[in-house]
Amino acid sequence: MANESIPYKIYLSEEELPQTWYNVRADMKVKPAPLLNPGTGEPMGFEDLRPVFCDELIRQELDNDTREIPIPQEIRNFYKMYRPSPLIRAYCLEEKLKTPAKIYYKFEGNNTSGSHKLNSAIAQAYYAKQQGLKGVTTETGAGQWGTALSMACSYLGLDCKVFMVKCSYEQKPFRREVMRTYGASVTPSPSDQTRIGQKILSDHPGTTGSLGCAISEAVEVATSHPGYRYVLGSVLNQVLLHQSVIGVETKTALDKYGIVPDIIIGCAGGGSNLGGLISPFMGQKLRGEQDYRIIAVEPASCPSFTRGRFAYDFCDTGMVCPLSKMYTLGSGFIPSPSHAGGLRYHGMSAILSQLYHDGYMEAVSVEQTKVFEAAEQFARVEGILPAPESSHAIRVAIDEALKCKETGEEKTIVFGLTGTGYFDMVAYEKFHNGEMHDSIPTDAELLESFSHLPAVPGQSK
Amino acid sequence: MANESIPYKIYLSEEELPQTWYNVRADMKVKPAPLLNPGTGEPMGFEDLRPVFCDELIRQELDNDTREIPIPQEIRNFYKMYRPSPLIRAYCLEEKLKTPAKIYYKFEGNNTSGSHKLNSAIAQAYYAKQQGLKGVTTETGAGQWGTALSMACSYLGLDCKVFMVKCSYEQKPFRREVMRTYGASVTPSPSDQTRIGQKILSDHPGTTGSLGCAISEAVEVATSHPGYRYVLGSVLNQVLLHQSVIGVETKTALDKYGIVPDIIIGCAGGGSNLGGLISPFMGQKLRGEQDYRIIAVEPASCPSFTRGRFAYDFCDTGMVCPLSKMYTLGSGFIPSPSHAGGLRYHGMSAILSQLYHDGYMEAVSVEQTKVFEAAEQFARVEGILPAPESSHAIRVAIDEALKCKETGEEKTIVFGLTGTGYFDMVAYEKFHNGEMHDSIPTDAELLESFSHLPAVPGQSK
């Protein structure tokens, strides 16, 4: 281990913190499809989105052309509390696997939110504050986004209302207290506090909730309370823009040591981490400067890329949000309650969906028992207790490293370690006790879900 | 904030990771008193301690003279997984307090054990492995030490048996799963698995346990299982030696920017963090090179320094361990179950006890409600969710910074942020719900406890 000249952890200095976010859409020949108004089927413009989102964030959402967008100084100051994040050489994992592959991971868990979500939370809260708003509403699944947003709002003095997917609320009781520590209000979703929540509870009694439901509730509250807007932790173009800070730092760190990755791997729920991590590398690929294998990893129980349809669909279960063209399992799809590993969203970032459709990246789905095996193996040698979400990427990184062991290839693998698993011990406990099962939707279940895709001109069901 | 030339986080490079631990005893004119055999009242030598501790660790325990002790390369490699740890300038806290004071904290929570305990865990596990042992036993209170030791043992392939103070076991159910993730066995203490545990359960039915009880159980198991030794996460001289890596890094980072602290603050339970943090600064003070105010902060519900006796006492409740001369509340003292803030040990490091007795440092005790107020205030501006233990130091750092605000003095304050509070959300929840109370022992309770101090020649009760 000690005979390598590359350190265990590559830290950039605060001066090397990126000055700009990188907007991958500028380099895409085929742009992601525009959001559509669910009532008219027309593309949604600035004014259409204003009741829901902050003005500056809408500009970022709609901007397919500007390659570099400056990061405001106030956001950079906040970033300095926990960034640049380390790029870590997994020497101990390599040794354990006895692989000739060189494995690196970009670790985004070294902040109290425990994940990369803080990168976009502070940006969205900042623009809300700039606009003179009172507060923001949002949904959270595993609780990472809600925690991140409550931290950012607390820092800026904004009110923060979080709707938390009910099964996570129950599985992760302590997440609520972290959010309360940061002054947020947290409501399990579906709740009886919104019309849409009441309807979902009445149509599906006993539902454990989904991100789609929680989004509908948060949007309803934002649009019915003056001075509030809705913010979202993934899926949107603006979120991938903010998360590009992960990829830009990763590339800067690799460039410093002359390292060129062969394979880049990220877990994918809504796509925020994966999109952020790969963005500058994808930019090179789109411009024809460099080729990389880019792999999205998703749970077998929520397989948007690998078994979904590339189609316009609602972003939320309540069908109040715009339509987005994306890989989707249908906005009514809810993963089995036995699924513990996060990444529960029915759809996928429009940017990543277009890139996947156009052949710029691969996708694989993995079963959660295999994911937790990889998580435990990683924890024991690398020291970090990974979040289940992040462990999807670990699973595939290990699989690729083991392929290198067979072939003898010294490939360089980079993956995103998006967060820590401190609040996922109920899931780890199930795994330790042999009580974790894989639950994969049947073809019939998916067909039923696809049958509810909205009618959009030119789109067949 | 941005107009300061000192970065938010001072990171040393891996090359700057200390090559040696610093042994403050070498610079003490009055050495800490030796451990005594509880049967004979005689000082314990190498052979007396061999049934309990690893050989090399006994040598370190007894070595009052060697100033610099090399850190073995294997331990340095492990340290590189999470060290050097950052020294952080609390710009945001300073701004919030509107204090002219400059506040720095050494953050030891950026590893999966969530605290500084890993620094000694890997050292102790390493020497056990070197000696060819099968495994180690230990106790854990808040669970930080047990987690740290299970990580170190997992890394080196040693068996790890942890006795966890029953009230923490119940308050922190997820800690058990983290330890299991790292392959350790975890037993709530007192248990019926040991003779001493059976006796304590029979004498004190319904007891919530104490570190002192758990130590007795772990020692009994170590001494009755061939190939096992006992390891301890605090109090001992060897532990303070390993933890000196905190202070050496802190001093190196400060020196780089020409910063000389006025006040150094650490929380104190058994003394491992405080002793480690202050060691090189105390060395300068002992050698007359530089003066600093050094403040130990302890809970008002377990006030060893501020209300204890400086006397020989048992290190454990079961009275099977050697006698140590220290500030103690009596080995039978158990803090109120309403005490949530960690630092529950009845005694204190012999080194720190001697230094406190000789006037080289101060001590204050603080009530836990005030500690959690400071914790929440800190979390909201600095982003990090602090452990209750660490928040004792935050409380006093804030108090000192507010004094500077009154006087206008630009003092430089350094404190140890020993860990994160992810597994302390039950306590945070009590605080949020207004259900947290302070529970301070009465003079009569302490007098009763002191009456059980052992009879040692020259020591009055």
Side-chain angles (χ1 to χ4, degrees), chain A residues 218-277:
Chain A
V219 170
E220 182 180 322
V221 170
T223 52
S224 59
H225 286 66
Y228 281 78
R229 289 295 185 281
Y230 167 69
V231 296
L232 179 63
S234 190
V235 183
L236 297 173
N237 297 343
Q238 60 189 263
V239 178
L240 267 72
L241 175 71
H242 306 147
Q243 295 296 358
S244 69
V245 71
I246 304 173
V248 174
E249 282 185 11
T250 302
K251 187 155 188 321
T252 304
L254 291 171
D255 287 351
K256 268 186 124 164
Y257 289 87
I259 303 160
V260 180
D262 298 291
I263 308 175
I264 303 167
I265 300 167
C267 62
S272 73
N273 152 69
L274 179 70
L277 173 68

Side-chain angles (χ1 to χ4, degrees), chain B residues 37 42-52 58:
Chain B
N37 182 316
E42 292 297 310
M44 294 193 80
F46 183 78
E47 288 300 332
D48 302 312
L49 293 166
R50 288 190 78 185
V52 180
I58 300 172

Side-chain angles (χ1 to χ4, degrees), chain B residues 259-273:
Chain B
I259 304 160
V260 180
D262 298 292
I263 308 174
I264 303 167
I265 300 166
C267 62
S272 72
N273 153 69

Side-chain angles (χ1 to χ4, degrees), chain B residues 119-140:
Chain B
N119 302 327
S120 186
I122 186 61
Q124 297 192 48
Y126 169 79
Y127 292 118
K129 182 80 177 175
Q130 287 291 99
Q131 196 173 321
L133 297 176
K134 278 190 234 168
V136 291
T137 71
T138 198
E139 83 300 328
T140 197

Side-chain angles (χ1 to χ4, degrees), chain B residues 203-217:
Chain B
D203 292 354
H204 305 279
T207 177
T208 55
S210 72
L211 272 180
C213 302
I215 292 172
S216 303
E217 293 204 273

